Amino acid sequence: SGGSDNADGGDTGGEKSGEKSGEAAEGEPSGEQVLNITDSAEIPTMDPSLATDAVAFQWLGSTMDGLYRLGEDAELEPAIAKEHKVSEDALTWTFTLREDATWTNGDPVTAHDFVFAWQRAVNPETGSEYGPYMMNGVIKNAEAISSGEMPVEELGVKAVDDYTLEVQLEKPIPYFLSLTAFGTFLPLNQEFVEAQGDKFGLEANTILSNGPFKMTEWKHEEGWTLVKNEDYWDAEKVNLEKINVSVVKETSTRVNLYDSGEIDAAALSGEFVQQKAGSDELKVEEEPVLFYLKMNQQHEVLGNVNARKAIQMVINREDLVNVILANGSIPAVGDIPQNFVKHPETGEDFREINGPLIETNVEKAKELWAKALEEIGKDTVNLELLGGDSEVAKEMDAYLKAQLEQLEGLTVTVKPVPFKERLRLDTSMEYELQNAGWGPDYIDPNTFLNLWVTDGGNNKTGYSSEEYDALIEKANNEYATQPVKRFETFLEAEKMLIQEDAVIAPLYQRAVAKLWKPYVKGVITNPMGPDYTYKYAYIDKK
Amino acid sequence: MEKLLQVNNLKVSFDTYGGEVQAVRGVNFEVNKGETLAIVGESGSGKSVTTKALMRLIPQPPGRIKEGEILFEGKDLAKYSEKQMQKIRGKDISMIFQDPMTSLNPTMKIGNQIMEGLVKHQKMSKSQAKKRAIELMELVGLPDAANRVNQYPHQFSGGQRQRVVVAIALACNPKLLIADEPTTALDVTIQAQILELMKDIQKKTDSAIIFITHDLGVVANVADRVAVMYAGKIVEIGTVDEIFYNPKHPYTWGLLGSMPSLDSADDELYAIPGTPPDLLNPPKGDAFAARNEYAMKIDMEQEPPMFKVSDTHYAATWLLHENAPDIAPPPAIQRRMEKMSRDVQYQTKGDRP
Amino acid sequence: MSKEKLVEIKNLKQHFKTGRHSVVKAVDGLTFDIYKGETFGLVGESGCGKSTTGRTIIRLYDATDGEVIFGGENVHNKKNKADLKKFNREMQMIFQDPYASLNPRMKVEDIIAEGIDIHELVNSPQERKKRVHELLETVGLNKEHANRYPHEFSGGQRQRIGIARALAVKPSFIIADEPISALDVSIQAQVVNLMKQLQRENDLTYLFIAHDLSMVKYISDRIGVMYFGKLVELADADELYKHPMHPYTQSLLSAIPLPDPDYERNRVRKGYDPNQHDTSEEPEFREVRPNHWVLCTTKEMEHYKKEHATV
Amino acid sequence: MARYIFQRVLYMFLTLVLIATFSFFLMKMLPGTPLTMEDKLSETQKEIILEKYGLDDPVPIQYLKYMAGLAQGDLGISFQFDNREVTDIILSRIGPSMQLGAQALLIGTALGMLLGLISAIYHNGFLDYSSTFVAVIGKSIPSFIFAGLLQYYVGLKLGWFPVALWGTWEHTVLPTIALAMFPIAIAARFMRTEMLEVLGSDFIQTARAKGVNKFGVVFKHGVRNALIPLVTVMGPLAISLMTGTLVIEKIFAVPGIGEQFVISITTNDFPIIMGTTLFFSFFFVFIILVIDLLYGIIDPRIRLAEGEK
Amino acid sequence: MDNSKPSKDLFVPVDLKDSESERLTRPSLSFWQDSFNRLRKNFGAMAGIVVLLILILMAIFGPYMNKFDPYSQNLDHSFIPPKVPVLENIGWLGLDGVETAIIEGETVESAMTTVKLRMGPENAEFVETRVISEGGNGEPAKIEAKLDIYKAKNIETSYWFGTDSLGRDLWTRTWHGTRISLYIAFLAATIDMVIGVIYGGVSAYYGGRVDNYMQRVIEILVGIPNLVVVILMILIMDPGILSITIALTITGWISMARIIRGQVLKLKNQEFVLASQTLGAPDNRILKKHLIPNVTGLIVINTMFTIPSAIFFEAFLSFIGLGLPTPTASLGTLIDDGFNSLQTNPHVLIYPAIIISLIMVAFNVVADGLRDAFDPKMRE
Ligand SMILES: Nc1ncnc2c1ncn2[C@@H]1O[C@H](COP(=O)(O)OP(=O)(O)OP(=O)(O)O)[C@@H](O)[C@H]1O
Ligand SMILES: Nc1ncnc2c1ncn2[C@@H]1O[C@H](COP(=O)(O)OP(=O)(O)OP(=O)(O)O)[C@@H](O)[C@H]1O
Ligand SMILES: [Mg+2]
Ligand SMILES: [Mg+2]
């Protein structure tokens, strides 16, 4: 999920399972095909253009099909698109759509639905935040349209006929296909959407589905019910008859519900992982979501690279993941999570190749810090750390404070702020230190590394390096069609970012520990977009 | 005369933080059918406690009846269970309290409050009881009774409320009516009305009344016999004329002497000095001794027994002992005694000069 | 008795606003004089405005209308502090409730010395103490009591403390608002005797408010009878008892029980019906017999005169 | 009477207007906008979004518009739930909170009164001490601790009632109990002191002198009079239950308004914060009014005193 | 009747001194002494006072009673159960530093593996196990496992209340938190008291129009649910002890003001105040000598009730995430921390919960006791 700054615990990011479809092969659907699960928050909206958070994308993903969808092992599998062709210059993508897909109101799903949806997403009047964010610089003219300088019709997307969709890109985008599986790129039935007006996507009856499930009941804040969409083009592969979702926010409540058999899955916090250790129902799934300390370089001390390096080095990440998180999260030692992208040829993991870019060394950290203070000419420093608001945030903040304060002369004040307020402080760079996170919007190193280019929308550290900018630029333009070179450039960029310039202090790569009833099978976990794919899930209650 | 109630050696105590308060310390008296016995005495002398004990309404704890018999028509109420007492209360003995403002339930209709006893004791139906309630209200002189049964206490004036209280007490034609300062909270004119009302009704129903007050004027008005209480004991008891015109106990002298009479001369009132004793540890000897200007050595050491003055008149003071020196009562009392002998001589009635 | 007027009350009115539109006319046009050295008794049923009259005279309330002239000066015009202070020393009050009238948190010494402190009548703490001890003795208490708190005293003793407090500033006029009605019978005489004795010794003037008519008669030189905020009759004490004219007064007198069984056996109570009055004209306060004033119409006056011509 | 009610209602509205004003300007003092990703949006987009939320006007105009909307029951639209009307959100969330609050209030006061009665009747006896103890405990232990214990032991270990979630009446049992501890304590305390006072009063003596038995004395004469002061605290109690549900709602996963309120606070959803504040206030002044009227029903003295005006 | 004839020489008059009859026998007691005497006889209240004193002393000295400080972390020692020397020998207290768990498994062996995983493989040699049930017949096997963490981790010192997730000593943190909570509560109560007394006093004493307007203001303030106001105030102020305190007092003073007003209204028509007025006492004297001393009892009682509710409110705010910023410890934040591990590590929650409950109970009974002690109806 893009920009998941808040993805701090197993919470806001929805729930993840360690269930791999590998196990799916073992069983057979048997018994009542009903899945009872929880989510951690109410769905803000089911309008794909307006959706911004993980909960919304999760349930959009379950009820709708885009051009492609994420399958096992994050492989893209055809959905509404049967196949696609890419032009020589990699700028024109032509999708051939299947003809048997329909909306739940009986209308066929056509290329026009995509044109309408994408135009709607960048249309400034829609007020979409993700539309322009995902499409600007990707789809031709998106930027100009979203700033109102060009009519929406100019968007580089066109229905050649009912079942042929042609997309013009701004520049070659190697990962474009993975974008088409993202929620913002889902199709919309124009007639239906316009008929609902303001109410579109707000109630179960103001939603139109074309995916494996459809929402039949939506009790706000309490929960919702999805049932199998019998008209789905791939309906025979869908086993679950019903998914009942309840909103539960307390972990202990969730665990109690799970233990009492009322729900089939429960995400755990560290304390419960400990309690459930040894249970074969406990699954740990690592996610490509990275957490790090963001340091504002406009701050006199944090502008000093030695100071930043000291901060990188002083934190003990092992303790952090083992004791505080204790849910299978792993220490982060770079900007790219492990098991996220692989070398296009050797298939070696990005993380593996670059290895740990930082180490924990308190002595050295202290030296660097002393040096930094000397350079700046200060004895004591007070830094403000924006606190998080998740379940473990308090402990995490307390821990970071204690760790950082090992540096002589440093005092850290924790300032707890609501999530939205933190976003604002981030945007306006009115922070000194903050514990931030990032999850991929698409499967490509660019989604992480692109953040730190000069004036990047989510940079907000004040980091600006011509060299670094040049590397990213090169990877995305010059090497756009040369995967290996591109990959190597990214490797180089990460080293520069973390090792040389110490822009951020990576903390950990998140994992989610979750209890799954043994009879639930075939749930797929995704690294981006919707957290889970329930399309192939089934209940095996032999 | 037929004896209705006889109280023998009644003792009541309260257990408090400070210790045992001996509120009533051995009281003996009797009440005959149809007569009115007034009990006078200053605040805290045990008047209310005595009468509450008769009804067995002493809050328990902290209070308890320590000793004594309460023979009502020959049966000892002191030994009755709470259940048995509930049958007596309101039916054979009923009670009127001092303050008409607080002795009615503010949230219950007047009619219901009168009916309650009727339904309970006379086994009347609701409608019968209501009819009777209206009659009773008319009996005590409340106009427009049929409408007013449905009103609440606050819609009545003080005097009217006290009439309602009387009506409640009279509902079941009790044999004994105990009135604990029933007019103290009222204006003189209204007080006079209520007193008249009570006398009237007594004439009609022939019930006995124990009337508690500290107003000697009221006593003179209502009583046939008078008992004077001091510090938890009856110190003098006799007919109303005996007490008013031939008092023997110095405390009674004090009481009478401290009231100016309308025709008395302008001289100083007779005041009892000091304050009543603390019943937590009552003094040795005569409890009144410390305030008694005629006190003798023996008063400090020994409690005086009841000395008989006449068949109906007794007083507990050593002054009546044969060895006691002759003592002249205060002038105000002497005047009263003179008047008595004058009256006896002339047997005159009617207007006095 | 000298006939020097100490207090003149002229058409005194005290109306309380109790709601937006409702007004209680607690005192509604009182006119009477109090002579130096006398005791003026004020009687009437509960709520007729006796206390209000007393409190208005001593300026606890600002009068709605009318004047109170004390020693030749209008009390209610006094504005400056010094004048007020002087006035406060001249006129004092004794209250009804011996429990509510003493501050439970102050020692007796400080209660009695309050006036002394306010008016700075002594120069040293020793002198203050001495004065307090004197006052305690005057009211029949002793100096050990000075260090005690009010709740340790009986009702009669408290009332005497209240009197000592009033005496501390050596007033010439004392308003006693039902000073004995909350006391036990045996104690009442103590207080009344004390008041009489003090009057003799200090040449005091009293306004004695009560509803116990026998006591009022005993202590008062002249008596005013109040009914619903108005004075209905005013006369010398003996005269009033011998010749009550206003039907309300007659009713009141006939209702007082006396500690005399003989008398009580023969007592006839008179009722009072406010509607029995002649309504042909506004009643006025008229002198029916010398120094005997009654609220009546001319017609009624004739009638009263006739009835009480003898004696 | 009508006049009195009219006056009270007038006050009620005045209060609400002041609260609305107060909270409106308070909200304006808080940092934050409805935009999640401000800098990723173009100017045009920002404008359009701000316009949607009516944030493009100067503050005084915004205020007037808000008040005008308020008069028509329109509380604006939520920041976090795009396009959803605050009024709808509040109305859809209010049900569970109301139900829990009302149940806890009713059960709590009923039980508390019973405890208080027992205390008063067996004054200074074992039962008195025990029920006083229960009351003190109920008042002293935070409801969220109760909630956690109830959920774990009664819900999970004993399995008597559902652990959490919302739906059937069984789901309301545990949260209601957790929530009812406080009213139980308050009602028991009030009932005890008032009942003791009433039992010591003269009219109870009168009743006993009539031969009324203990039961009749307590229930026919005592309770109603002892109830009057209890009614006074019912108002604040009701509202504290309504707002107090928020922790309980979180623990038992109840879709109530309290929960929503807290979320709105942590997400800077001003329209909902405002709306909920106003709603709570409205509810509060309304309850106070109802309580005052209830007074009259219980206590005839008050009924008439006002009727005569 | 008495038959023994009293001797003749007793019948001689005695001379009673007048003063004799006015003698007061009981020792002189001021209102406060008197109240205190009554309070002393109230067992509950005295127990409450003792508990409070102990808690306050502990809040002051508790954090210094061992070598830990409330903030220092030791992740190695995370979630160590409590252990108290001496008391560790009393089994049911659970203060022996031993972690006990009952583990189920299909067979005894599988349960044993679970035990190992649960207790941590590295601690295996320190785990004592006892088979409760062998299982079979559809019944799971049950094993009771005991791990002496102190031995396993070779911890020399004892953590009396155990440690939290960051290995901070809970004894120190709990007493430190008690200190902060009490501080907030006392501060809030004091501010409430000052504002409430002044507002209520002025409103009642000046009466009339002033009173009318001041009461309207209160009426409106009362219409605002205080939770809402407190939360709004917290939102606009930076979180911290002072802002929480201020937020608590924003509406907290109202009840005090109302009570004081009622009392002063009653008092100012009391005859002793009138008496003072007739003596010419100026306003400030009446306030100082008559009104204030007579409302102090009420102020004390009301303050005693304010304190626990302030503590409670702080806990509540912490619980909904609006409390003090990390890592400050207050009872509220400690309970909030502990709540998450209620089922896994109950010791984190139990001690602060017990202490907050003790404080609440103690203040409530003491306040009740004071009310009885000050109540004039209870006198004599
Ligand atoms: N419930 C009680 N607890 C303790 N002492 C009590 C109780 N009731 C009465 N007493 C004590 O018993 C004594 C007698 O009281 P009682 O009420 O009989 O006096 P009384 O003569 O009726 O006075 P009054 O004229 O004031 O009504 C008093 O000293 C009083 O303090
Ligand atoms: N401050 C006040 N505000 C409104 N009404 C008042 C006030 N003070 C007295 N009243 C009313 O004025 C009337 C006269 O009261 P006042 O106290 O003077 O009567 P009283 O003759 O002294 O009665 P009592 O014998 O009961 O003392 C009563 O109806 C009373 O309710
Ligand atoms: Mg009595
Ligand atoms: Mg009066």
Side-chain angles (χ1 to χ4, degrees), chain C residues 9-16 24-31 52-53 56 61-68 76 229-230:
Chain C
I9 287 131
K10 292 186 180 158
N11 193 29
L12 188 69
K13 284 185 185 167
Q14 182 65 54
H15 297 177
F16 293 110
V24 173
K25 299 183 175 178
V27 175
D28 198 21
L30 284 191
T31 304
T52 308
T53 306
T56 310
Y61 302 145
D62 284 322
T64 310
D65 193 12
E67 291 173 12
V68 175
H76 285 261
K230 289 195 160 69

Side-chain angles (χ1 to χ4, degrees), chain A residues 128-129 146-147 249 253 457, chain D residues 36 39 42 44-45 251 259 263:
Chain A
S128 167
E129 294 175 23
S146 63
S147 50
K249 290 163 190 174
T253 306
Chain D
T36 324
D39 60 308
S42 64
T44 342
Q45 268 194 310
I251 292 169
E259 243 279 73
I263 298 175

